[in-house]
Amino acid sequence: MAIPAKEQQILTAARALFLRRGFEGATTDALVESAGVSKETLYRRYATKDDLLIAVIKDMAERRHAIAADVVLPDGATRRTLELLLKRLVRTALAETMKPENVDLLRLVAAESGRRPRVAALFRDALTGGGALRRLLAQAKDQRLVRHDVNVDTVAQMLGGSLLIPVLYQGVLGGARSPRRADIDLDEIVRLVLRAVSR
């Protein structure tokens, strides 16, 4: 769903300001000036600065999830097709998350998550991208490519969680400024997980 232009203007300005000044340094006056809106407009949409940070994170997560929205398991798919689509999803999720602006936002969110539990929950969801993985695995289960006793939420968590190592080590903690090869073999993880859950 498209975000109204005024709201996107606020989110873009807030994101840049949060990244430049940190959460505490992004004052209401600075946010208003940067976004080019009145305080009334800002407060009408976001009652608190916490609400605005949550909206920025949701915007990032929605953009990230939109990239995988077209990944659909075709009718009559084979296990090989499922494997290729799962590999595509995890590679795409990693590449998107490792973009410098997203790594910077994740650093900010990690710093704030201890004081803001809602932010921490959004952070986890944005990082692992479980929605697209769950959807694809559910389609595979419907087509009997995945065993009926398998919990697709758990499998999505396993695959999404495998992204945490390169994102945290190379990105959030390592100061990476651009995507690079992961220290783990994501393709092999997909193969192993699929072998464990396939019929």
Side-chain angles (χ1 to χ4, degrees), residues 84 86-96 163 186-187:
L84 292 172
L86 286 170
K87 287 177 181 176
R88 176 179 157 200
L89 275 179
V90 295
R91 285 186 201 132
T92 301
L94 180 60
E96 181 65 20
L163 302 176
L186 293 176
D187 286 354

Side-chain angles (χ1 to χ4, degrees), residues 73-133:
L73 191 66
D75 290 336
T78 63
R79 183 176 165 204
R80 178 69 179 148
T81 303
L82 174 60
E83 181 179 330
L84 292 172
L85 287 173
L86 286 170
K87 287 177 181 176
R88 176 179 157 200
L89 275 179
V90 295
R91 285 186 201 132
T92 301
L94 180 60
E96 181 65 20
T97 304
M98 290 294 283
K99 287 182 177 177
E101 63 272 17
N102 288 335
V103 170
D104 290 342
L105 182 59
L106 292 175
R107 280 194 192 103
L108 172 69
V109 171
E112 295 299 325
S113 63
R115 293 182 294 275
R116 295 170 171 79
R118 241 175 105 199
V119 168
L122 285 171
F123 170 71
R124 286 189 299 271
D125 182 58
L127 203 57
T128 58
L133 288 169

Side-chain angles (χ1 to χ4, degrees), residues 12-148:
T12 300
R15 177 184 177 126
L17 199 60
F18 284 142
L19 294 181
R20 196 168 57 248
R21 295 188 181 179
F23 183 79
E24 296 304 327
T27 64
T28 302
D29 288 338
L31 286 164
V32 164
E33 182 181 340
S34 182
V37 297
S38 68
K39 283 187 180 180
E40 293 77 21
T41 299
L42 181 65
Y43 287 133
R44 191 174 13 206
R45 286 175 168 81
Y46 307 102
T48 68
K49 200 161 58 165
D50 279 34
D51 291 341
L52 183 54
L53 177 59
I54 287 167
V56 168
I57 297 163
K58 283 183 177 177
D59 184 51
M60 185 271 283
E62 286 169 12
R63 288 169 186 266
R64 191 173 171 278
H65 294 161
I67 292 171
D70 66 335
V71 178
V72 176
L73 191 66
D75 290 336
T78 63
R79 183 176 165 204
R80 178 69 179 148
T81 303
L82 174 60
E83 181 179 330
L84 292 172
L85 287 173
L86 286 170
K87 287 177 181 176
R88 176 179 157 200
L89 275 179
V90 295
R91 285 186 201 132
T92 301
L94 180 60
E96 181 65 20
T97 304
M98 290 294 283
K99 287 182 177 177
E101 63 272 17
N102 288 335
V103 170
D104 290 342
L105 182 59
L106 292 175
R107 280 194 192 103
L108 172 69
V109 171
E112 295 299 325
S113 63
R115 293 182 294 275
R116 295 170 171 79
R118 241 175 105 199
V119 168
L122 285 171
F123 170 71
R124 286 189 299 271
D125 182 58
L127 203 57
T128 58
L133 288 169
R134 276 191 296 274
R135 188 182 71 247
L136 185 61
L137 288 163
Q139 292 167 356
K141 193 172 181 179
D142 289 344
Q143 292 191 36
R144 298 189 172 150
L145 293 172
V146 170
R147 293 192 328 265
H148 74 283

